[in-house]
Amino acid sequence: MKIFLDDIRNPPNGWIQVYWPDEMINLLKTGFVEEISLDHDLGDDKRGTGYDVLLWIENAIVMKNFEPPKIKIHSANISARRRMELAVTNINKLRR
């Protein structure tokens, strides 16, 4: 399945939309997610951001040998996007 994390934009056809990091993480735990696309700003930083999903993935790779899905970033927040892209780079290094 393909999962789209965003509070405003609609997902592409064939993608499932979630609005919060915990929803995304619960789906990732199933092992059936093949691709994700993340926004950073979700309207309530207390509930988390797209970056929190990436932190969870990094930890899961190291601690649980998690196999991450393909990851896309679609955030318009330039500074957060850069930080998320660096996290994806690190995830790709860890998965090898």
Side-chain angles (χ1 to χ4, degrees), residues 1-93:
M1 79 183 102
K2 297 179 180 183
I3 311 298
F4 190 81
L5 176 65
D6 203 302
D7 62 324
I8 297 173
R9 296 172 196 90
N10 292 321
N13 287 335
W15 289 66
I16 297 169
Q17 183 162 16
V18 295
Y19 297 91
W20 302 110
D22 60 328
E23 295 173 307
M24 173 72 76
I25 291 166
N26 285 335
L27 289 171
L28 287 167
K29 288 177 180 179
T30 69
F32 296 112
V33 178
E34 60 193 50
E35 190 170 351
I36 62 174
S37 186
L38 303 171
D39 186 18
H40 182 272
D41 303 318
L42 302 170
D44 183 356
D45 287 350
K46 292 178 187 173
R47 290 224 34 208
T49 68
Y51 185 69
D52 294 316
V53 173
L54 297 173
L55 293 177
W56 181 88
I57 291 171
E58 285 179 315
N59 186 62
I61 291 169
V62 172
M63 302 303 289
K64 300 176 183 174
N65 205 26
F66 177 73
E67 183 59 38
K70 181 177 178 183
I71 303 169
K72 295 179 182 178
I73 309 298
H74 65 263
S75 180
N77 180 330
I78 295 169
S79 60
R81 180 185 185 94
R82 180 66 184 134
R83 184 169 77 158
M84 293 172 78
E85 289 169 345
L86 290 171
V88 171
T89 298
N90 190 50
I91 288 167
N92 288 333
K93 287 178 184 175

